[in-house]
Amino acid sequence: MEWLLLLCVLSPAVGCIINGLFGRWTYRAAGVIGSTFLGISFALAIPLIIYAIQGHIIDYDYYHWIISGKLDVPFGLRLDSLSAMMLGVVTFVSFMIHIYSIGYMGGHKGYARFFAYLNLFVFAMLLLCMGNNYLTLFIGWEGVGFCSYILIGYYYEKKTAADAGRKAFVTTRIGDVGFTIGILFIILYFGSVKFTDIFPQAHILPPMIATIITLALFFGATGKSAQFPLYVWLPDAMEGPTPVSALIHAATMVTAGVYMVARSAPLYALSPTGSLVVASIGAFTAFFAATMALTHFDLKRILAYSTISQIGYMMIGVGVGAYWTGMFHLMTHAFFKALLFLSAGAVMHAMHGILDMRLMGGLRHKMPQTCAVMIIASLAIAGIPPLSGFFSKDHILGEALMLGHPIIWMVGVITAFMTAYYMFRMVFFTFFGESRVPEGLHPHEAPNVMLVPLWVLAVGSIVVGAIFGIKMHGHIPIEHFISLTSPVAFPKVYEVNESLLIIISIVAGVLGIAVAWLSYIPKWAPKWRSWFVRTFHPLYRCCFNLWWVDEVYNCLFCRPFWHVSERFLWKVVDDKLIDAGVDDVGRIAGLAGKAVRILQTGFINNYAYWVSAGALIVCGWYLLKIM
């Protein structure tokens, strides 16, 4: 089984190599090649997941990678309940996105290059999830960061895409500084990076050191998983192709931070402060990002802010200590968020690249299947039973309250209302009402190669939550499975009425949908919206301008660093010290050469004079010395 696990991880890398090196000849078949190797990876994952469900664990070192003193870092992979869940989600959802991409990216320039990048991304993500030590995890962590840079900037000839790729790369690197510090502290105190060496003796850590390590690791997660304050790269990542948005925002890169926190559960269990920071940042990010999605008109950017908000929910789950709830929401979110992005891609495909909802409307008549799957995904993310999002979100909020965090629970409920509102605002604005499609455009349904993955993901969005989230035989399947690796860290504080919490959660979602319907469907809806905007204009303006966060960051960080770099490091240090110093050394050498050149006349009698003068000087110095 150890070598089967290795083959499962390496399969996407083989597809990357074939399309990357031989794309000139495999151009037409690049999509099929990339999808086939993802399909192989998913097929190999099935027996591995069954093996993990049976209670087995694989932890195998394939070779010793780094040996320095007492530090021995192997290249090894680990399959347990936590990584098995990630293995299934990543390979299946990525496989669907690859198939969808065959139709979406057909005819695009760099077709083979795109699938090579996509395969490389999945390989890095599998390495991140399957690594049995923090350094292997970190290599995968940096790998998905690099792949996100090249995929977001895939249309590199377009300035906005190139800028978005750089922004993503720089922002996530800032977070990775914290992650690196956390790993260095782990090496300092444990002398190892292997999970099996660290977690059994985690209790030896002083509380202060445990807090430092957990906060440093979480700072890395705020960059990779787009949490406040390092979330700003994710909305701009929409400049990449839509399948890239689905891959990054659904099952892969942005959930890496959630997985890392759940994987580090024994460390976070030692630091109530670190765990509380994770949950609090998650709750704030969930609410804050939802406010930005309320007034946006760009179809994909609404979904981007939705992703930031939903990852905030996941962080609440792992932050309060109920790690299984955060991972459960990660799994359900992978299905309905991938479905949302791919549906948005189908709309974009039909509208020839237009994403502004103000230029849509009435598309349900032209794209009935896309409309249906978009409604299914929106119901799932809104938390309407019996769809999958209801179960995972309800478990997060319930556990947050029972584990002693009523304020976080309240923020989560309010955010659930806003989520239902902005998602169905998007649905009603795009697919219902009168058509606002510009003349000359003829929207049409996507081809079958794109529709089939949509319906597969729609089925998953409907049934996955019920299959894994309903209590059976006295326990919830996903809770029992994930808790084998990451058990609940803290004791329950409150006893609550679960039925009442479920009703509150459902009411929040239904109320959000109802408000969206009243705001966009009736004939008097425009007047109602105009009244609301006038009445709450300051609040509306803040949400519409995204709270000016980018502008604040630009003033506080970007401009000062730019001025320091340009006016001091460049004009003073580089020009006046380094360049001038190098120039002066050359100038002095030139002057010395000119002085010495005077002596080189080429006449023997001149050389005889100098030799005689030298001899006289030496003799005179000697006579003075002996006198």
Side-chain angles (χ1 to χ4, degrees):
M1 297 298 285
E2 293 86 358
W3 294 102
L4 188 66
L5 178 60
L6 181 62
L7 288 175
C8 180
V9 172
L10 292 179
S11 181
V14 177
C16 169
I17 292 171
I18 293 174
N19 280 326
L21 295 181
F22 308 105
R24 188 173 182 179
W25 297 276
T26 65
Y27 181 82
R28 294 182 180 277
V32 175
I33 293 171
S35 301
T36 299
F37 280 98
L38 246 296
I40 292 171
S41 187
F42 173 63
L44 295 176
I46 294 174
L48 291 168
I49 295 170
I50 295 173
Y51 190 71
I53 291 174
Q54 294 172 345
H56 302 292
I57 294 176
I58 300 173
D59 196 310
Y60 188 76
D61 297 335
Y62 296 91
Y63 67 91
H64 294 280
W65 179 20
I66 299 173
I67 299 177
S68 178
K70 295 182 179 180
L71 179 64
D72 184 357
V73 181
F75 171 77
L77 303 177
R78 178 180 177 85
L79 180 77
D80 53 23
S81 60
L82 190 63
S83 57
M85 193 210 81
M86 291 296 295
L87 180 64
V89 170
V90 170
T91 55
F92 178 74
V93 176
S94 298
F95 183 41
M96 292 296 105
I97 293 172
H98 273 69
I99 295 174
Y100 176 94
S101 299
I102 294 174
Y104 187 88
M105 297 299 294
H108 279 64
K109 182 181 178 181
Y111 185 65
R113 173 169 59 91
F114 176 80
F115 279 94
Y117 290 170
L118 224 56
N119 279 176
L120 182 62
F121 189 103
V122 178
F123 164 68
M125 189 65 195
L126 290 177
L127 190 64
L128 187 158
C129 299
M130 298 296 111
N132 70 350
N133 61 79
Y134 276 106
L135 202 54
T136 303
L137 185 156
F138 186 70
I139 296 301
W141 186 278
E142 293 301 304
V144 295
F146 167 72
C147 291
S148 69
Y149 162 69
I150 58 178
L151 283 167
I152 293 169
Y154 176 76
Y155 301 119
Y156 58 87
E157 295 175 347
K158 184 181 175 184
K159 186 179 184 303
T160 53
D163 290 344
R166 286 194 293 269
K167 185 176 182 179
F169 190 81
V170 172
T171 305
T172 53
R173 292 295 78 70
I174 293 171
D176 291 348
V177 172
F179 197 5
T180 305
I181 292 172
I183 293 175
L184 292 176
F185 267 94
I186 288 172
I187 294 173
L188 177 64
Y189 278 87
F190 295 102
S192 175
V193 290
K194 283 196 67 175
F195 301 144
T196 52
D197 294 336
I198 296 168
F199 297 153
Q201 54 177 338
H203 59 276
I204 69 172
L205 282 179
M208 179 62 72
I209 300 302
T211 299
I212 292 173
I213 291 175
T214 52
L215 290 179
L217 294 177
F218 178 64
F219 188 65
T222 61
K224 198 69 68 182
S225 291
Q227 297 294 281
F228 185 86
L230 298 180
Y231 71 91
V232 291
W233 66 270
L234 197 62
D236 291 340
M238 298 301 99
E239 293 292 338
T242 299
V244 172
S245 302
L247 193 64
I248 291 176
H249 295 70
T252 52
M253 176 175 166
V254 292
T255 59
V258 179
Y259 166 77
M260 185 272 295
V261 174
R263 172 59 72 191
S264 306
L267 300 178
Y268 281 89
L270 298 174
S271 176
T273 301
S275 296
L276 181 60
V277 169
V278 173
S280 300
I281 293 294
F284 176 77
T285 305
F287 175 83
F288 190 55
T291 63
M292 300 184 210
L294 293 175
T295 57
H296 225 293
F297 292 102
D298 187 294
L299 199 62
K300 286 174 64 177
R301 286 180 182 264
I302 292 173
L303 297 179
Y305 287 113
S306 168
T307 298
I308 298 169
S309 181
Q310 294 302 307
I311 295 172
Y313 273 109
M314 300 175 206
M315 288 298 182
I316 292 174
V318 296
V320 299
Y323 302 101
W324 69 273
T325 62
M327 295 304 297
F328 185 29
H329 197 54
L330 184 155
M331 179 171 63
T332 60
H333 177 265
F335 285 90
F336 57 71
K337 185 50 64 67
L339 178 57
L340 284 167
F341 269 107
L342 297 185
S343 299
V347 173
M348 185 180 177
H349 185 267
M351 295 289 294
H352 299 279
I354 293 176
L355 285 169
D356 192 333
M357 297 189 302
R358 291 169 291 190
L359 300 177
M360 299 179 189
L363 291 183
R364 74 182 189 279
H365 302 297
K366 304 290 185 179
M367 309 176 67
Q369 294 192 60
T370 303
C371 176
V373 295
M374 182 73 89
I375 291 174
I376 291 171
S378 298
L379 288 170
I381 195 173
I384 304 300
L387 282 82
S388 58
F390 161 74
F391 294 95
S392 55
K393 189 181 295 184
D394 181 68
H395 285 312
I396 287 174
L397 296 179
E399 290 292 322
L401 185 58
M402 288 187 284
L403 290 169
H405 303 279
I407 296 177
I408 290 177
W409 171 80
M410 187 178 301
V411 171
V413 171
I414 296 171
T415 304
F417 163 77
M418 291 193 295
T419 301
Y421 170 78
Y422 67 68
M423 288 307 304
F424 275 87
R425 169 183 177 267
M426 181 186 72
V427 169
F428 295 144
F429 219 150
T430 303
F431 293 99
F432 292 83
E434 296 182 0
S435 176
R436 300 177 298 276
V437 177
E439 293 184 8
L441 291 182
H442 303 284
H444 53 83
E445 195 63 87
N448 289 333
V449 72
M450 295 169 64
L451 285 176
V452 170
L454 292 182
W455 281 109
V456 172
L457 291 170
V459 172
S461 300
I462 295 171
V463 304
V464 165
I467 291 173
F468 296 100
I470 294 179
K471 184 176 290 187
M472 295 184 294
H473 307 295
H475 64 263
I476 300 171
I478 192 68
E479 177 184 10
H480 175 73
F481 186 56
I482 297 299
S483 294
L484 296 175
T485 302
S486 302
V488 174
F490 304 109
K492 292 185 178 180
V493 176
Y494 300 127
E495 291 293 332
V496 299
N497 187 326
E498 294 185 11
S499 299
L500 179 61
L501 294 184
I502 292 173
I503 292 172
I504 294 173
S505 180
I506 295 174
V507 168
V510 172
L511 190 60
I513 296 173
V515 173
W517 186 88
L518 291 172
S519 300
Y520 290 94
I521 297 301
K523 292 182 179 180
W524 42 263
K527 295 181 180 179
W528 151 252
R529 295 200 304 271
S530 298
W531 173 85
F532 184 87
V533 171
R534 289 195 305 270
T535 306
F536 300 97
H537 182 70
L539 181 59
Y540 178 86
R541 190 180 177 194
C542 288
C543 295
F544 185 79
N545 289 284
L546 310 176
W547 300 93
W548 297 279
V549 173
D550 277 327
E551 289 79 2
V552 171
Y553 283 6
N554 191 43
C555 291
L556 292 181
F557 304 109
C558 299
R559 287 184 180 274
F561 276 109
W562 175 262
H563 288 304
V564 169
S565 301
E566 182 183 21
R567 297 183 180 179
F568 178 68
L569 295 179
W570 175 20
K571 299 295 185 181
V572 177
V573 176
D574 196 14
D575 280 355
K576 298 189 183 298
L577 295 180
I578 299 175
D579 286 352
V582 173
D583 293 342
D584 288 344
V585 169
R587 191 176 296 108
I588 292 171
L591 293 174
K594 288 181 179 180
V596 174
R597 193 160 56 240
I598 297 173
L599 304 177
Q600 302 294 325
T601 63
F603 294 105
I604 295 176
N605 54 343
N606 289 346
Y607 296 155
Y609 294 150
W610 289 114
V611 170
S612 300
L616 290 174
I617 292 172
V618 170
C619 291
W621 176 80
Y622 182 73
L623 291 173
L624 289 173
K625 185 177 180 181
I626 61 176
M627 290 175 63

